[in-house]
């Protein structure tokens, strides 16, 4: 009887484990890294291009693909329990990405090299923030 | 006064168990605090780098006032993300500390059951 009581206590203790953040997800970390690299590459290539080769139309499909990837990441974060802060960060990244994409669309071939570099750095640092948060779940 | 629990002739030392639980939690918090500190310092270093870039580009007229203000606005968004990230990291540290303490208790009771 006493052994049973101790066993029941053990079982209830084990089910009382703290869970204040979602479990670590390697797939999501990989997706964050890959998306960050793809965005980096996009901005480096636009920066290297000159004049008409900077036209938004030449990069439109790549922007669309990245938007799809970011939305997918956002949905994955939303689906996790206790992921409010991760959803906030991902939402902020999407907001920045869209703002920069729209700027390129508006300025087209006239988009400045300095602006492209700043956009690349801001997005990269934003992804770094998300990655730090995700890796802490390990 | 030493707190013990008599269980079928076996003595369960509550004081020692609690001491071990606290040590386990403290260990996790110490490691975790270093991670939080390093992360926050990293964020600040990146912020410094970005602000220097903005200043350099503005001074060399590679960006105008409107563009400068736009990126300074982006700093606010990034700061919000950094705060959110530090919240996640802090919660993860607290979770590891709490579960480390629970593991000590769990193992102590397992040991007790094994002795009964």
């Amino acid at each position: 009887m006493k052994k049973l009581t101790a066993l029941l206590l053990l079982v209830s203790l084990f089910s009382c484990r703290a869970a204040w953040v979602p479990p670590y997800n390697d797939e999501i970390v990989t997706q964050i890294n890959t998306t960050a690299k793809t965005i980096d590459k996009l901005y480096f290539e636009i920066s290297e291009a000159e004049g008409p080769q900077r036209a938004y139309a030449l990069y439109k499909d790549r922007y669309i693909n990245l938007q799809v990837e970011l939305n997918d990441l956002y949905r994955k974060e939303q689906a996790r329990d206790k992921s409010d802060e991760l959803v906030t960060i991902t939402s902020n990244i999407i907001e920045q990405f869209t703002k920069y994409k729209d700027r390129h669309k508006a300025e087209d071939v006239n988009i400045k090299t300095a602006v492209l570099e700043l956009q690349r750095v801001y997005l990269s640092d934003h992804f770094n923030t998300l990655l730090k948060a995700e890796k802490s779940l390990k | 006064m030493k707190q013990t629990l008599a269980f079928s002739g076996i003595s369960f030392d509550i004081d020692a168990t609690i001491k071990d639980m606290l040590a386990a939690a403290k260990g996790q918090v110490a490691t975790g605090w270093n991670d939080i500190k390093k992360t926050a310092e990293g964020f600040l270093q990146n912020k410094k780098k970005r602000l220097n870039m903005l200043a350099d580009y503005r001074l060399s007229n590679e960006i105008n006032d409107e563009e400068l203000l736009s990126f300074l606005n982006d700093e606010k968004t990034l700061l919000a993300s950094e705060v959110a990230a530090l919240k996640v990291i802090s919660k993860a540290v607290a979770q590891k500390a709490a579960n480390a303490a629970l593991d000590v208790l769990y193992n102590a009771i397992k040991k007790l059951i094994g002795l009964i």
Side-chain angles (χ1 to χ4, degrees):
Chain A
M1 191 62 196
K2 282 179 180 168
K3 196 161 186 171
L4 179 64
T5 310
L7 262 166
L8 284 170
L9 178 62
L10 205 62
V11 166
S12 58
L13 255 179
F14 196 69
S15 63
C16 275
R17 298 184 70 69
W20 301 316
V21 290
Y24 176 76
N25 187 316
D26 202 45
E27 192 196 312
I28 288 181
V29 169
T30 301
Q31 188 175 6
I32 292 168
N33 275 318
T34 306
T35 309
K37 271 165 63 173
T38 310
I39 289 177
D40 246 13
K41 189 164 187 270
L42 171 68
Y43 277 105
F44 278 133
E45 287 184 19
I46 302 170
S47 292
E48 284 297 311
E50 284 173 2
Q53 294 306 306
R54 280 196 180 177
Y56 172 80
L58 296 173
Y59 304 95
K60 188 176 130 190
D61 287 346
R62 289 167 73 176
Y63 276 121
I64 290 172
N65 290 338
L66 279 163
Q67 195 89 55
V68 167
E69 206 56 41
L70 287 169
N71 288 348
D72 181 60
L73 192 58
Y74 181 75
R75 273 191 301 274
K76 283 179 178 146
E77 294 290 13
Q78 272 195 311
R80 292 160 103 183
D81 276 338
K82 305 180 199 320
S83 66
D84 287 351
E85 288 87 8
L86 297 167
V87 170
T88 297
I89 301 170
T90 312
S91 168
N92 286 345
I93 290 175
I94 292 175
E95 183 192 308
Q96 293 292 271
F97 175 81
T98 307
K99 176 180 168 182
Y100 297 159
K101 175 185 74 78
D102 290 346
R103 177 190 268 140
H104 187 186
K105 197 174 181 182
E107 295 181 11
D108 204 31
V109 299
N110 298 312
I111 191 158
K112 297 173 187 172
T113 304
V115 166
L116 288 165
E117 177 58 9
L118 284 164
Q119 288 182 177
R120 188 191 68 74
V121 166
Y122 272 78
L123 281 171
S124 176
D125 287 355
H126 228 130
F127 272 100
N128 173 58
T129 304
L130 182 58
L131 213 51
K132 288 279 184 198
E134 287 286 352
K135 284 186 169 177
S136 75
L137 305 177
K138 216 170 184 183
Chain B
M1 197 169 116
K2 194 174 165 181
Q3 299 265 3
T4 56
L5 185 68
F7 212 74
S8 279
I10 310 295
S11 177
F12 179 67
D13 191 340
I14 295 171
D15 281 346
T17 304
I18 289 176
K19 201 173 157 194
D20 290 344
M21 284 171 74
L22 285 171
K26 193 178 165 193
Q28 288 294 328
V29 169
T31 314
W33 168 242
N34 277 333
D35 290 343
I36 292 168
K37 195 163 159 253
K38 266 167 63 175
T39 303
E41 281 167 357
F43 288 160
L44 282 171
Q45 281 305 314
N46 283 347
K47 192 172 294 297
K48 196 174 153 189
K49 177 197 78 188
R50 288 191 308 271
L51 292 176
N52 277 333
M53 278 178 79
L54 284 175
D56 287 345
Y57 280 141
R58 185 64 196 95
L59 283 170
S60 60
N61 280 322
E62 288 176 81
I63 60 172
N64 58 33
D65 282 344
E66 194 191 323
E67 286 155 347
L68 172 64
L69 281 169
S70 177
F71 282 110
L72 287 174
N73 209 41
D74 295 343
E75 280 295 332
K76 282 194 258 177
T77 310
L78 191 40
L79 179 61
S81 292
E82 286 166 348
V83 166
L86 289 171
K87 269 170 92 170
V88 172
I89 298 167
S90 301
K91 280 194 217 176
V93 167
Q95 181 174 294
K96 281 174 195 161
N99 288 334
L102 282 171
D103 282 343
V104 166
L105 183 58
Y106 179 71
N107 288 328
I109 293 176
K110 251 174 79 177
K111 203 173 161 187
L112 182 67
I113 291 172
L115 291 168
I116 297 169

